[in-house]
Amino acid sequence: MKDDIVIYTGSFGSGKTELAINQSIKAIKKKEKVVIVDLDIVNPYFRSREMREKLKELGIKVVAPPGKFAMADIPLISPEIKGTIQDSDRLLLLDVGGDDVGAKSLASFYTVLKDTGYQMNLVINPYRPFTKNSAEILTMLREIEISSRLKINGLISNPNLGSQTDLELITRGHKIVKDVSKQINLPVKYLAIEQTIYEKIDKHQFEEPIFVLQRYMKLPWDEKNK
Amino acid sequence: MAKVVIDREKCKGCELCTLVCPQNILVMSKSFNKKSYHPVEQINPEKCTGCAFCAMTCPDVAIEVYK
Amino acid sequence: MAEKVLMKGNEAIGEAAIHAGCRYYFGYPITPQSELTAYMAKRLLKIEGAAFIQAESEIAAINMVYGTAATGGRVMTSSSSPGISLKQEGISYIACAELPCLVVNMQRGGPGLGSIQPAQQDYFQATKGGGHGDYHLIVLAPSSVQELVDLTIKAFDLADKYRNPAMVLGDGLLGQMMEPVEFREKKNADLPSKEDWALGSCKGREPRKVVPFNLDPYELEKLVAKIGKKFEKMQDEVEYELINMDNPDIIIVAYGTVARVARTTIQKAKQEGINIGLIRPITLYPFPYKIINQYADKVKHILVSEMSLGQMLEDVKLAVEGKTKVSFYGRTGGVVISPTEILQEVKKILK
Amino acid sequence: MNKVFSRPKSLVDIPFTYCPGCHHGIIHRLIAEVLDEFNIREDTIGIAPVGCSVFAYLFFDCDMICAAHGRAPATATGIKRAKPDNIVFSYQGDGDLASIGTAEIIHAANRGEKITVIFVNNAIYGMTGGQMAPTTLEGQITQTSPYGRDSKTMGMPIRMCELLSTLNTPSYISRVALTKPSYIIKAKKAIKKAFQFQIDGKGFSLVEVLSTCPTNWGLSPQEANEWLDKNMIPYYPLGEFKNSEEVS
């Protein structure tokens, strides 16, 4: 399993884009070349391409449809993607669209990825509809694997209710993810906790590593950084 | 023994029934109905076989048939 | 209390509709509301006796709604701006036939194919009829995902109460953003029975006819006047929110997403010693003329802000009756207004 | 003596609004007879179109709704999906079904909606005063094809039965005419079969009825019948195009 190609899949709104952006910002401090591929062909808004300029300043490359096509709702797969996957000496983060529908965009790269190897994560927020319990999560996992033609090899636990997240809620949600992990014998790579909440809670109770998340995809009333 | 009953007021005088009557016993009346159409009427009623072709063809469902 | 879920606005509308007893959905995908169509497919196709159809067009979808509405079924369709334009003839028929249904419009930039970014350019179309003829829709304008839930449920009830199509007028941003929501125990609104007009089996009663026309102008006039009476009655349903209205320097009137942005502006302005009030219409039809008129006496300036070239502006001006100055700040084409931009505009006015 | 032919009960006892000799009245009667014979009047919901038969809602003694022009199959779909136990039929003309409502009929048929469609094809727009229909014959003069329908610029008349029969899902598609008693007897059978398919929950059924428009054709009712026989039937052959009960 190669660890310089990391794929984020999961249900709509499970937190894939935020995680990919956060990981890229963390990684650029240690690695010279970090690339995010925006493979989201299903969401019209809140895609990593919206952060393209800001990430560029930090030295992170966002591969997404160019210029005015970035704001379109056509399933544009950038021609650079294949080359970027085959390229070495870089950390590649693939931000995929939601559900099995979004994961389908991976399937066309199957022939490349099966040779290069990859890490494929399933991002789980059990407070989202259709991934509320282990049965639903397993269905989602299977559907994503079928449509992407790839194998998920790790889980990322991202239990949150947006601004209303608290410790109790994280603990309860995280347990659901851990149960799934045990059931199918896939590791929980880490538990993601938003920074403002992380600062307030006792984090020693969690066995898994904690990834502290910052919210970059802000809403207009949060005074979005342009 | 058969009989047709024509609703003079429903008849619009289209004449289609007269064309399908095998006995040729339906003719247009010289008089008018309230809608100012010449309604159809039967002559030689004893010849009627009750085949109901006239009723079947009537676009205004103005004919009843007894047998 | 019900469990909270983190939902996208579009999904939340879908779940709210099902919560409200809606079992029939007919729609056609269009960005940025397609998640709602997909959500309804996922849910309704698993409910016995329910119907979901991805129609061949928006036109077909609204006419399926017309059919189901005539049978008394709780039914909805949804789309975004260009798709809503296509539905207008059908909506006009439904209004004329006095049938209840819900139409959701998650607006995007226009005119034409426009953009897929959020906008508020369909205010005129939503509140002034939209299709041909003399009618109005009941129009509710949510500004959070929870409100998408609450107002979707309310819209169904109001549609039933007045036997008139209702619209939830959101925008792409509200549809795409995620917020925690809960689905509260449904209070059973005291709604009129559909038993005395719905189509079905006519055993034991006279056959019923749903006829959205009358070729005799005097008869049609009677029908339109009767429908008109309902719009008078609807004025009781006016709903709005007042924020920071204690002796403000200026009042902003904004709905939906822009109202949400304006709340941040109010906070920012406070830090600079500026006191901004906000009137947020929740019902766009009926429009809260009265409350705006009352405040027009008390404030030197009203600023209307919309993601359009100024549409609700006209209703605010009607409400103000020239009693105070009315300005406008808008962005259009799918550009979302920022809190800072509104604050700058306020400062310019107050200077 | 017994009454062997009388007005069906499902037909309201008021005069039709149609011109003398127009076939709409015969088609109405046939439908009403079928409703009587199956004893389904009280469970039937009919859909009237926009066109000459816009007043069809007055003539059938069952629940009725008037659809927007061309949208009857969509409206029927909405009704049938909400009321699967009711019998739903739409009554549509050639402008309604074969022009403005082409998308709706094709997709309702393709979804296999369990509805019955009665399609009245008289090769002209009657209501609006005799304009060209999608089914107007080549060379036929109408208000909007004043020099005759020219296939080079106006296309060829659409054969809806043939077109719809290319779909897999419809259960029953048939074309009939009414110009002589033997045809009328066949037409009645076809309409009855179409409703039978729906009653049995078998899916989409459609009967196209070739009919006359003496007024807009500028012919007497008799001449109109003759014109139909001579010109329409050769182009629009009669018969069953689809019958899912018969193994082909």
Side-chain angles (χ1 to χ4, degrees), chain C residues 166-240:
Chain C
M167 176 175 276
V168 167
L169 187 68
D171 62 54
L173 185 67
L174 290 166
Q176 296 297 325
M177 63 185 265
M178 290 203 301
E179 279 182 329
V181 288
E182 58 179 326
F183 297 87
R184 299 174 186 114
E185 260 324 292
K186 207 180 156 274
K187 276 177 283 167
N188 269 330
D190 190 19
L191 297 171
S193 162
K194 298 178 176 179
E195 291 298 305
D196 54 350
W197 57 262
L199 300 187
S201 295
C202 64
K203 203 172 224 151
R205 61 161 168 82
E206 281 296 302
R208 290 173 183 156
K209 316 285 174 173
V210 174
V211 186
F213 72 91
N214 199 317
L215 297 184
D216 177 342
Y218 298 99
E219 288 303 312
L220 183 60
E221 185 182 44
K222 276 185 211 160
L223 171 64
V224 177
K226 182 185 149 220
I227 294 172
K229 278 263 177 322
K230 294 198 299 195
F231 298 121
E232 282 169 34
K233 262 204 206 114
M234 271 178 211
Q235 302 308 316
D236 299 343
E237 308 292 346
V238 164
E239 208 184 313
Y240 51 84

Side-chain angles (χ1 to χ4, degrees), chain B residues 1-3 10 12-16 19-20 35 37 50 52-53 55-61 63-67, chain D residues 1-8 11 13-22 25-26 29 181 184-185 221-222 225:
Chain B
M1 187 55 178
K3 177 174 91 164
K10 277 211 182 88
K12 289 177 185 162
C14 75
E15 304 183 25
L16 288 180
L19 305 171
V20 295
K35 284 188 205 131
Y37 293 118
F53 284 3
M56 253 184 248
T57 306
C58 175
D60 289 284
V61 202
I63 304 174
E64 286 184 341
V65 184
Y66 293 82
K67 215 171 172 176
Chain D
M1 261 197 301
N2 294 320
K3 213 189 245 187
V4 292
F5 193 102
S6 61
R7 191 179 182 84
L11 216 49
D13 194 10
I14 50 169
F16 291 132
T17 42
Y18 306 112
C19 303
C22 166
I26 307 176
R29 193 200 82 227
I184 296 173
I185 291 165
Q222 179 186 353
N225 272 6

Side-chain angles (χ1 to χ4, degrees), chain D residues 151-226:
Chain D
S151 63
K152 287 198 201 87
T153 55
M154 302 168 186
M156 290 289 281
I158 293 184
R159 296 185 179 105
M160 286 309 290
C161 285
E162 287 84 340
L163 196 148
L164 291 170
S165 295
T166 65
L167 303 172
N168 278 327
T169 26
S171 296
Y172 182 72
I173 293 173
S174 170
R175 185 184 286 125
V176 298
L178 305 167
T179 45
K180 44 189 172 205
S182 61
Y183 283 171
I184 296 173
I185 291 165
K186 278 189 192 156
K188 164 81 176 287
K189 275 190 187 147
I191 292 173
K192 200 164 179 179
K193 225 184 248 180
F195 276 90
Q196 183 72 59
F197 269 90
Q198 185 180 172
I199 291 166
D200 296 344
K202 283 203 183 108
F204 182 87
S205 54
L206 176 142
V207 178
E208 173 176 344
V209 188
L210 300 181
S211 52
T212 59
C213 183
T215 304
N216 283 301
W217 290 0
L219 300 171
S220 75
Q222 179 186 353
E223 289 169 332
N225 272 6
E226 288 161 5

